[in-house]
Amino acid sequence: MPQPAKSAKLQLLNGNPNKKNTTELKKRAVAEEKMKMAIDKVKPPNWLDATGKVTFNFIAEELLLVELVSNPDIHLMALYSSWYSQYISLEKQLRKLRREYKLNYEIAKAEAESNGEPFNEPNELIGNPLSRQMDTASRNLRTLANDLGLSPSARAKLAIKLAQDNGDDSEWT
């Protein structure tokens, strides 16, 4: 399996282990710097709801601090924010349903006991569609979080790459 492309700066900082043409690597490093994308449009899209916008702004602020996102990333960030908002909404609905279930359960149990009838405890919310939707949302959140560097393991991978870079980019910029 081929290795992923390494930036020219990183290859130069590592002492050019692949013995590539140094002049070409320096030219490529300058070209890579020119390809750096703008960050002036990193704002939540209008279609996000209030929770989604708050989430978007939070992750945007954090990711911009470490220069991890740029304008083209807003769509991925918006998807993450939308799924997060949906998950929160589903969680609230499920909590409400559980409260209603508990209330109905207690009423049914009290009625059965007052009538001297046996009370069979039903299974609580088994196979509830909200639970399945929450599972889908959480899977999508995990995938998108990994893509955006929002999970601890994704950040660890990024830290390894940064450590390989030795933190010295100024030589070619």
Side-chain angles (χ1 to χ4, degrees), residues 20-37:
K20 296 192 177 195
N21 182 319
T22 307
T23 307
E24 288 299 315
L25 281 176
K26 287 180 181 178
K27 285 181 188 177
R28 200 172 110 200
V30 171
E32 287 173 359
E33 190 62 32
K34 287 179 183 176
M35 290 179 61
K36 208 169 189 179
M37 296 180 189

Side-chain angles (χ1 to χ4, degrees), residues 67-109:
E67 298 178 355
L68 197 55
V69 294
S70 56
N71 290 343
D73 302 314
I74 64 171
H75 306 294
L76 190 60
M77 293 166 56
L79 282 173
Y80 177 89
S81 302
S82 178
W83 277 112
Y84 181 80
S85 179
Q86 287 180 46
Y87 185 89
I88 297 300
S89 174
L90 291 166
E91 176 65 34
K92 288 176 182 176
Q93 291 175 51
L94 194 58
R95 250 189 245 151
K96 181 181 176 189
L97 194 60
R98 283 186 176 135
R99 280 193 303 270
E100 290 171 3
Y101 172 84
K102 186 175 180 182
L103 181 63
N104 291 338
Y105 168 83
E106 290 170 359
I107 291 170
K109 185 175 181 181

Side-chain angles (χ1 to χ4, degrees), residues 101-167:
Y101 172 84
K102 186 175 180 182
L103 181 63
N104 291 338
Y105 168 83
E106 290 170 359
I107 291 170
K109 185 175 181 181
E111 285 177 1
E113 288 175 354
S114 68
N115 295 334
E117 299 170 1
F119 182 73
N120 296 325
E121 294 191 29
N123 293 328
E124 180 188 351
L125 306 173
I126 290 181
N128 186 288
L130 292 175
S131 295
R132 288 192 298 272
Q133 289 174 322
M134 287 177 71
D135 184 53
T136 299
S138 67
R139 286 183 212 203
N140 289 332
L141 283 168
R142 281 191 302 273
T143 300
L144 291 166
N146 194 43
D147 290 348
L148 288 167
L150 298 176
S151 70
S153 64
R155 284 192 302 278
K157 289 176 190 173
L158 291 170
I160 290 168
K161 288 178 185 175
L162 284 173
Q164 291 172 346
D165 193 12
N166 294 330

